[in-house]
Amino acid sequence: MLFTPLAPAGAYLITPEPVGDHRGLFARVFCADEFAEHGLATVYVQGSVATNPRAGTLRGMHWQVAPHAEVKLVRVTAGAIWDVVVDVRPDSATYLEHAAVELSAANRATLYVPAGFAHGYITLTDDVEITYQMSERYAPDAYRGARWDDPAFGIEWPREPTVIADRDATYPDFVR
């Protein structure tokens, strides 16, 4: 696996290194030893899947606060998304900086979302499926959100959302 650090600090794009032959290919998408070598979380206690039938579906920006702040591994198994992370750790040198990457079934990449980062995405294709691994269990009292187009984040989305939950569309501005 190739570990490409992103700005803001702590986020990574993890790309498998497939080995192929006449049967197809094989590639690791997780190895606790390799993650530990990069100082990344190696224990995940919850996994989820999200499906999105229509291109232009936006989910985010979401995170959990301490003591339930969570690391996420995000991987697309069908279709493609524009995935965004924002550093919302007030004591961080990269506070409010963001990174955006395209994740797709074709590129098989994984986004490592550190604890203390907001996360969201917009689907680029129809029929998207995304898998998540989380280091903490869902804790409703620790759950937070900010509007996807909050000016404090300065995110340039590749398109306007056509499908969005009322909650995601009406979050207040991020409070610094």
Side-chain angles (χ1 to χ4, degrees):
M1 291 178 289
L2 302 174
F3 291 77
T4 305
L6 302 173
Y12 281 84
L13 183 64
I14 303 163
T15 309
E17 296 180 289
V19 175
D21 62 21
H22 67 281
R23 301 168 294 172
L25 66 85
F26 180 86
R28 274 192 321 240
V29 295
F30 178 79
C31 174
D33 293 341
E34 289 185 53
F35 271 58
E37 287 172 15
H38 288 85
L40 306 181
T42 60
V43 176
Y44 297 89
V45 299
Q46 187 171 304
S48 299
V49 63
T51 62
N52 306 273
R54 291 187 36 213
T57 300
L58 190 136
R59 294 183 190 235
M61 302 296 292
H62 310 139
W63 69 99
Q64 286 191 173
V65 296
H68 304 287
E70 62 185 348
V71 170
K72 294 179 186 173
L73 294 180
V74 183
R75 187 165 180 271
V76 172
T77 55
I81 65 173
W82 184 252
D83 207 352
V84 181
V85 294
V86 178
D87 186 347
V88 294
R89 304 169 298 177
D91 58 344
S92 170
T94 56
Y95 182 57
L96 297 183
E97 289 184 20
H98 73 275
V101 296
E102 183 174 324
L103 299 180
S104 69
N107 70 23
R108 298 180 186 90
T110 299
L111 180 61
Y112 181 90
V113 182
F117 276 51
H119 173 254
Y121 64 84
I122 191 163
T123 58
L124 301 175
T125 63
D126 289 338
D127 300 318
V128 171
E129 181 178 270
I130 302 161
T131 63
Y132 296 85
Q133 300 296 317
M134 283 83 70
S135 66
E136 295 290 330
R137 289 164 184 79
Y138 174 65
D141 292 341
Y143 190 81
R144 301 290 186 273
R147 213 176 58 250
W148 63 278
D149 60 350
D150 190 312
F153 300 154
I155 300 166
E156 292 185 30
W157 294 91
R159 61 174 296 167
E160 287 291 317
T162 54
V163 179
I164 186 170
D166 288 342
R167 177 187 68 179
D168 289 346
T170 59
Y171 275 127
D173 284 346
F174 181 75
V175 178
R176 294 178 191 225

